[in-house]
C-alpha cells in the first residue's frame, strides 16, 4: 500500500479520502478549515497536516479536490504548496474541475520540479463519491496515469485516460455541457406536464423507460416535483463549470448556444437565492415563471 496525501475535504474529497484509508493506504489529509481534517482523522484514522507541503512530504501520490483554479494554485504552488514538499518522481492527481489553462500551467510546473501530474476530474456527485462509484476522466502522460489508475479505482466505477495533459478537464467540460441541456429538458417536460394537468410521476414513469430516459430523470424527478433541491451539485459550482466551458468554446471555436442559454437560467436561479440549490432547481425557476 502507498503513502498518500489528500488535499481538500469537501463533499467529494471527504469520502474519497475515506475510501483510500479504508483500502489500506496511509493517508495524510489537509483542509483549509482544519476542524474538518480533525473530524476526518477521528472518523477514518490517518493523519492531518497544517499545510499542503507538510501533507505531501514523503507521499507517493498527492490527490487534490478543491474549489477552483485559484484554490488549486494555492495548494500546489508557493512555499507551503504541495509541490514544494513532494519528493522527486512523486505523482500529483488533480480531481478538481478547473480550466485547461491552469492544468497546463501546473503540469509544466510539476515537470520542472521533477514531478508527475495527472488531471482527473470526476463525475457522479456526492453519492458517487460516498459509494465509490465515480467516473474519472484523465489527461496526462501514460506512465503517470498507469501509476495513478489502481489507486483511483478505489473510488471509481470507471477510470480512463482520454489523452495528453488537459484532456481530462476538456472531457469534464463535455460532461457539464451534456448535463446542462438534459436538466433543462427534464425541467421543461415536468413543467409542461403540470401545466397540462397531468401526474408528473406517472408521466415520468412511462417516458423514463424509453428514449427520453436519463440518470437525471431517474434520480431527480421526484425531488424536483416535491420542490426539494438539496441533493447534490450546487448551482454556484455549475455556473463556475459552465463558465469554463464557454470560455474554452470562445478559444476553440465551438458553438454552445444551449449551454450559454442554460447558464443564464442558472443565473436566474442564483438571483432567486438558489446558489446552493442543486442543479435540478431549473424546474423551480420554471414554476416561478408560472
Amino acid at each position: 500500500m502507498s503513502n498518500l496525501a489528500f488535499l481538500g475535504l469537501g463533499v467529494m474529497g471527504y469520502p474519497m479520502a475515506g475510501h483510500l484509508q479504508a483500502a489500506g493506504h496511509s493517508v495524510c489529509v489537509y483542509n483549509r478549515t482544519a476542524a474538518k481534517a480533525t473530524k476526518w482523522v477521528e472518523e477514518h484514522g490517518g493523519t492531518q497536516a497544517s499545510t499542503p507541503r507538510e501533507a505531501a512530504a514523503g507521499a507517493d501520490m498527492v490527490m487534490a479536490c478543491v474549489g477552483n483554479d485559484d484554490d488549486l494554485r494555492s495548494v500546489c504552488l508557493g512555499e507551503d504548496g504541495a509541490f514544494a514538499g513532494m519528493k522527486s518522481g512523486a505523482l500529483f492527481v488533480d480531481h478538481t474541475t478547473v480550466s485547461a489553462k491552469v492544468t497546463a500551467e501546473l503540469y509544466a510546473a510539476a515537470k520542472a520540479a521533477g514531478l508527475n501530474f495527472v488531471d482527473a476530474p470526476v463525475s457522479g456527485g456526492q453519492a458517487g463519491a460516498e459509494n465509490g462509484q465515480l467516473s474519472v476522466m484523465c489527461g496526462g502522460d501514460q506512465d503517470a496515469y498507469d501509476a495513478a489508475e489502481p489507486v483511483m479505482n478505489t473510488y471509481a466505477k470507471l477510470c480512463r485516460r482520454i489523452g495528453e495533459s488537459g484532456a481530462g478537464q476538456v472531457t469534464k467540460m463535455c460532461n457539464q455541457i451534456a448535463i446542462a441541456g438534459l436538466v433543462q429538458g427534464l425541467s421543461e417536460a415536468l413543467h409542461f406536464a403540470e401545466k397540462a394537468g397531468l401526474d408528473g410521476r406517472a408521466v415520468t414513469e412511462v417516458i423514463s423507460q424509453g428514449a427520453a430516459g436519463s440518470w437525471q430523470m431517474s434520480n431527480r424527478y421526484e425531488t424536483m416535483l416535491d420542490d426539494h433541491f438539496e441533493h447534490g451539485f450546487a448551482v454556484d459550482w455549475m455556473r463556475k463549470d459552465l463558465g469554463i466551458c464557454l470560455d474554452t468554446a470562445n478559444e476553440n471555436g465551438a458553438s454552445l448556444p444551449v449551454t450559454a442559454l442554460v447558464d443564464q437560467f442558472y443565473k436566474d436561479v442564483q438571483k432567486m437565492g438558489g446558489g446552493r440549490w442543486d442543479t435540478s432547481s431549473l424546474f423551480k425557476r420554471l414554476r416561478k415563471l408560472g
Side-chain angles (χ1 to χ4, degrees):
M1 293 295 132
S2 303
N3 291 321
L4 308 177
F6 205 104
L7 315 177
L9 299 175
V11 295
M12 302 293 287
Y14 196 101
M16 290 165 73
H19 287 302
L20 294 171
Q21 183 71 22
H25 298 291
S26 178
V27 183
C28 181
V29 296
Y30 164 80
N31 194 69
R32 186 164 49 189
T33 303
K36 185 171 284 188
T38 301
K39 179 184 176 183
W40 186 92
V41 171
E42 290 173 351
E43 183 176 343
H44 296 285
T47 58
Q48 72 181 99
S50 58
T51 67
R53 178 175 183 166
E54 181 184 333
D60 303 303
M61 290 177 56
V62 179
M63 283 86 159
C65 192
V66 292
N68 55 36
D69 286 22
D70 290 339
D71 292 334
L72 182 61
R73 285 191 184 96
S74 73
V75 298
C76 288
L77 305 176
E79 184 177 343
D80 289 327
F83 287 3
M86 293 171 68
K87 62 186 180 182
S88 179
L91 172 58
F92 191 98
V93 176
D94 174 34
H95 289 305
T96 316
T97 298
V98 291
S99 68
K101 179 180 178 180
V102 75
T103 295
E105 173 188 330
L106 294 176
Y107 174 83
K111 283 295 184 182
L115 307 172
N116 296 297
F117 187 97
V118 171
D119 51 295
V122 300
S123 181
Q126 183 176 348
E130 291 173 349
N131 296 323
Q133 293 290 299
L134 294 170
S135 293
V136 189
M137 49 214 86
C138 302
D141 300 338
Q142 184 69 57
D143 56 349
Y145 172 79
D146 290 343
E149 183 183 17
V151 179
M152 293 189 290
N153 279 334
T154 306
Y155 39 73
K157 65 178 178 180
L158 175 66
C159 187
R160 179 165 296 173
R161 177 181 179 268
I162 307 300
E164 299 301 323
S165 180
Q169 292 298 343
V170 176
T171 303
K172 181 60 184 285
M173 295 176 207
C174 296
N175 184 80
Q176 302 305 73
I177 290 165
I179 289 173
L182 283 170
V183 177
Q184 179 63 19
L186 174 58
S187 298
E188 291 184 14
L190 294 178
H191 179 63
F192 184 82
E194 281 194 343
K195 286 296 185 180
L198 302 180
D199 179 345
R201 283 173 169 78
V203 169
T204 305
E205 181 181 356
V206 174
I207 68 173
S208 66
Q209 302 306 307
S214 67
W215 185 96
Q216 297 290 336
M217 182 176 290
S218 298
N219 290 273
R220 290 289 177 262
Y221 82 94
E222 289 190 290
T223 54
M224 291 166 76
L225 291 170
D226 290 338
D227 204 43
H228 293 159
F229 302 103
E230 310 297 332
H231 299 280
F233 195 63
V235 167
D236 286 342
W237 292 118
M238 186 59 156
R239 286 214 71 209
K240 183 264 290 186
D241 290 359
L242 294 182
I244 292 171
C245 297
L246 294 168
D247 287 345
T248 304
N250 285 334
E251 295 170 1
N252 69 18
S255 178
L256 303 180
V258 173
T259 303
L261 185 61
V262 176
D263 179 58
Q264 291 306 300
F265 294 161
Y266 278 126
K267 184 177 181 179
D268 292 343
V269 174
Q270 289 176 318
K271 290 178 180 178
M272 293 166 58
R276 302 307 299 172
W277 296 342
D278 70 62
T279 53
S280 69
S281 55
L282 287 174
F283 181 56
K284 191 175 183 73
R285 172 186 172 274
L286 291 174
R287 274 180 164 169
K288 182 180 179 181
L289 290 175

